[in-house]
Amino acid sequence: MAVRAIRGATQVDADERDQVLEATAELVREVLTRNDLAPDDLISAVLTATPDLVSEFPAYAARIAGLADVPLLSATEIAVPGAMPRVIRLLAHVETDLPRGSVRHVYLRGAAGLRTDLNH
């Protein structure tokens, strides 16, 4: 079994707690589903938010979305001028038999524009 990293991102319409909770939960579910993973397959995850999102910790949202015993960390993305606003990003470290080329990275909502090279 290998350790793989899976990336993902989503965008919310506004800095509202319910939107951050919902969008983060959706992102976590999609990463697990698209890669045929269970929460037990996750080693850890880092979740970031752009500086304009302060209504809730993305890691808390992931925790209530089912990652109860996975080590999680929330952080703030650097404030790059012109960067896409209101984005939550995920970097998950997982144990899987998937070859690196078969890992499905997940970009949802407006964040799909961050990775136009991926088939969303």
Side-chain angles (χ1 to χ4, degrees):
M1 182 139 333
V3 174
R4 301 282 183 228
I6 302 175
R7 287 290 318 267
T10 190
Q11 186 180 42
V12 294
D13 293 329
D15 182 28
E16 296 175 1
R17 184 174 189 268
D18 287 344
Q19 287 194 36
V20 171
L21 293 173
E22 177 187 324
T24 305
E26 177 187 33
L27 180 59
V28 167
R29 281 192 308 270
E30 286 298 313
V31 164
L32 295 175
T33 299
R34 292 185 191 186
N35 290 285
D36 195 27
L37 298 169
D40 284 347
D41 297 322
L42 273 75
I43 297 167
S44 64
V46 176
L47 294 108
T48 66
T50 50
D52 51 1
L53 295 178
V54 297
S55 61
E56 188 55 84
F57 293 104
Y60 174 72
R63 177 108 26 246
I64 63 174
L67 302 186
D69 62 353
V70 176
L72 303 172
L73 175 68
S74 287
T76 304
E77 286 285 333
I78 60 173
V80 175
M84 184 179 288
R86 301 176 314 281
V87 174
I88 299 160
R89 290 177 173 86
L90 167 73
L91 173 63
H93 308 97
V94 304
E95 292 181 315
T96 180
D97 289 326
L98 288 174
R100 187 185 309 254
S102 296
V103 169
R104 305 269 324 267
H105 304 285
V106 177
Y107 290 80
L108 303 174
R109 304 179 186 201
L114 293 171
R115 291 295 306 265
T116 56
D117 58 316
L118 298 176
N119 181 6
H120 301 287

